[in-house]
Amino acid sequence: MNQGILFVVSAPSGCGKGTILSRILKNKKFYYSVSATTRQPREGEENGVNYNFLSKPEFEKLIAEDAFLEYAVYCDNYYGTLKAPITEHLSQGEHVILEIEVQGAMQIRKLCPDAKFIFIAPPSLETIRERLLHRGTEDAETIEKRIRQAETELNFKNQYDYCIINDILEDAVSDFKSVVRAEELKIQP
Ligand code: 5GP
C-alpha cells in the first residue's frame, strides 16, 4: 500500500482555515491530527475531538517522554503533535493533515522532508480582525495579540510550498483539493 501524504497547514488566527478544513475532511481519505494543548477549551470544543486538553505538567511530561513530533508555545500556551497517530495513519495510506502554527511547521520541515506545506492567508489583516470580532470567542486583548501574531506569521509564507488565499470559501476549498490532487499525481523519484 502507498504511504499517505503528510500535509502541514498553517494560517494565522481568523483566516477561516477551520471552515476550509472541515470541508476537506468530509473525504475519508484524510486523517486530521488532533493536537494536544494547554489552552482552555472554547465553548463547544470537545476533549479528544478539537484538541486533547492537557494541564501544563501533563504536557511537560509528554515533552520529557519525547512523545511529540513537534511542539511550540503560541500566545502563552503549549500546542503539540503526538508522533504515534501520524505514522500509523500515513502507513495505512491515509493523508494526514496537521493544522499547526509556523514554528511547529518549520520543525516538521526539517524532520519530514516529504511533507507538503500549505499556507492559508487572509485577503488582508483587517479581515482577520473582523472575523475574530465576529467569532466572539476571544477578548479584546487576545484579539490584538492574535493580530500581532498574524503579522509575524505572514512573514513565513514563503517557507511553504503553496499559498491559498481565503477570500471566497468555495475557491479556497477547490484550490486546496487541487493541491492535494497534484501531489497525489506527482511521479515519485
Ligand atoms: P487555536 O488556539 O486558535 O486553536 O490555535 C492557535 C494556533 O495553534 C493555530 O495557529 C493552530 O494552527 C496552532 N496549533 C494547533 N495545534 C498545534 C500543534 O499541535 N502544534 C503547533 N505547533 N501548533 C498548533
Side-chain angles (χ1 to χ4, degrees), residues 11 13 17 35 39 42 51 70 72 74 79-81 99-101 104 146:
S13 221
K17 69 175 177 294
S35 297
R39 92 149 155 71
R42 295 187 188 123
Y51 281 104
E70 62 74 36
Y74 178 94
Y79 292 81
T81 308
E99 185 206 321
I100 63 177
E101 51 63 73
R146 281 180 177 244

Side-chain angles (χ1 to χ4, degrees), residues 14 33 35 48 54 108 115 129 169 179 189:
S33 159
S35 297
L54 304 180
I108 305 278
R129 187 188 306 274
L169 176 66
V179 167

